[in-house]
Amino acid sequence: MTADLAEALYARDSRNRSGWSEVTLTDTAKWLSGGTPKTSEPSYWGGDIPWISAASLKSPWIDDSDRKVTRLGAENGTRLIPKGSIVFVVRGMSLTSEFRIGLTQREVAFGQDCKALLPAPGIAPETLFLALKSMTPEILGLVDAAGHGTGRLATDRISKVRVRLPEGPTAANFSYAVVPLIEQACAMRRENRTLAELRDTLLPQLVTGKIRVKVAERLVEDAT
């Protein structure tokens, strides 16, 4: 709900003429491409750095992934991006119906089916994320077919998309309003993930009688 409120604030405020301007997306950030370390090399995988792919990018708040690379893997075949980067899918079956986009909450690596944007100085990551997300219908209209049901979003097409961004004091005021909402949404997602992991761990033990209900309740309280 907090994320929805942030999007609603952007939709409302960006309609204002005063303090807002329209810019081409290519001028808002540094654009980066990702890659995949050699999967047959075990020293590249199983580390603690989330590796984001078209398949794993399912949440707008990126801080984890089902696949992780080591520091060595990150240096061989992929690319690291810092917290506050924007990642979106440019090739995949999901593009035929949805535009997957996320804002990194920590350092991550990412695959070749995604692009990353590092916002230019003076542009808040949260604001650029909301601006790009608001253009979802137009962006999906730029997707073409790459074969076998796979959608493709060409860089030369999406880079020409124009977004509305605040300037000067308006930019600072807007960030002040939306950043806490996004931080709260991220915290709620982490808590939900922790609770889901606890459920999967504790439920079998409760069923088999290995732990008592009161113990399970205390573990949940400690985790949240």
Side-chain angles (χ1 to χ4, degrees):
M1 183 176 294
T2 54
D4 292 339
L5 181 55
E7 291 182 33
L9 286 175
Y10 176 83
R12 184 197 68 184
D13 291 3
S14 63
R15 289 195 293 264
N16 295 331
R17 293 186 178 182
S18 177
W20 290 75
S21 64
E22 194 173 85
V23 295
T24 304
L25 190 59
T26 191
D27 296 325
T28 65
K30 180 179 180 181
W31 291 61
L32 298 175
S33 298
T36 305
K38 186 183 297 184
T39 56
S40 60
E41 177 50 66
S43 65
Y44 291 171
W45 297 90
D48 60 357
I49 303 172
W51 181 76
I52 310 303
S53 67
S56 66
L57 181 46
K58 297 179 180 179
S59 167
W61 323 121
I62 303 174
D63 62 0
D64 199 10
S65 177
D66 55 347
R67 301 188 71 184
K68 296 182 175 66
V69 297
T70 62
R71 185 65 56 175
L72 182 62
E75 296 170 353
N76 290 271
T78 186
R79 188 190 296 270
L80 289 172
I81 50 176
K83 176 182 179 181
S85 303
I86 297 163
V87 182
F88 55 90
V89 174
V90 293
R91 183 183 176 91
M93 296 184 67
S94 63
L95 269 176
T96 60
S97 60
E98 61 179 316
F99 177 51
R100 294 185 177 181
I101 179 174
L103 181 65
T104 60
Q105 304 304 303
R106 54 162 295 179
E107 182 183 58
V108 304
F110 66 107
Q112 65 271 19
D113 290 337
C114 298
K115 286 285 186 185
L117 302 184
L118 277 59
I123 298 179
E126 297 82 5
T127 303
L128 184 57
F129 165 79
L130 292 171
L132 188 53
K133 196 170 189 300
S134 75
M135 300 300 293
T136 291
E138 179 178 339
I139 290 171
L140 288 177
L142 302 176
V143 175
D144 58 18
H148 305 290
T150 299
R152 179 182 60 186
L153 186 58
T155 301
D156 62 349
R157 287 188 172 187
I158 189 172
S159 64
K160 296 176 183 176
V161 169
R162 299 183 67 81
V163 294
R164 290 188 60 78
L165 295 176
E167 300 175 307
T170 301
N173 291 336
F174 184 76
S175 291
Y176 183 80
V178 299
V179 168
L181 297 174
I182 290 178
E183 289 177 344
Q184 185 176 352
C186 295
M188 290 173 62
R189 179 176 183 272
R190 287 193 295 269
E191 182 175 322
N192 289 339
R193 187 171 63 229
T194 299
L195 290 173
E197 291 171 352
L198 279 173
R199 177 200 62 204
D200 294 342
T201 301
L202 297 178
L203 187 58
Q205 297 183 56
L206 284 169
V207 172
T208 59
K210 290 184 177 180
I211 62 172
R212 297 180 179 276
V213 173
K214 289 186 177 180
V215 174
E217 290 177 343
R218 185 170 66 252
L219 290 172
V220 172
E221 290 176 358
D222 290 343
T224 56

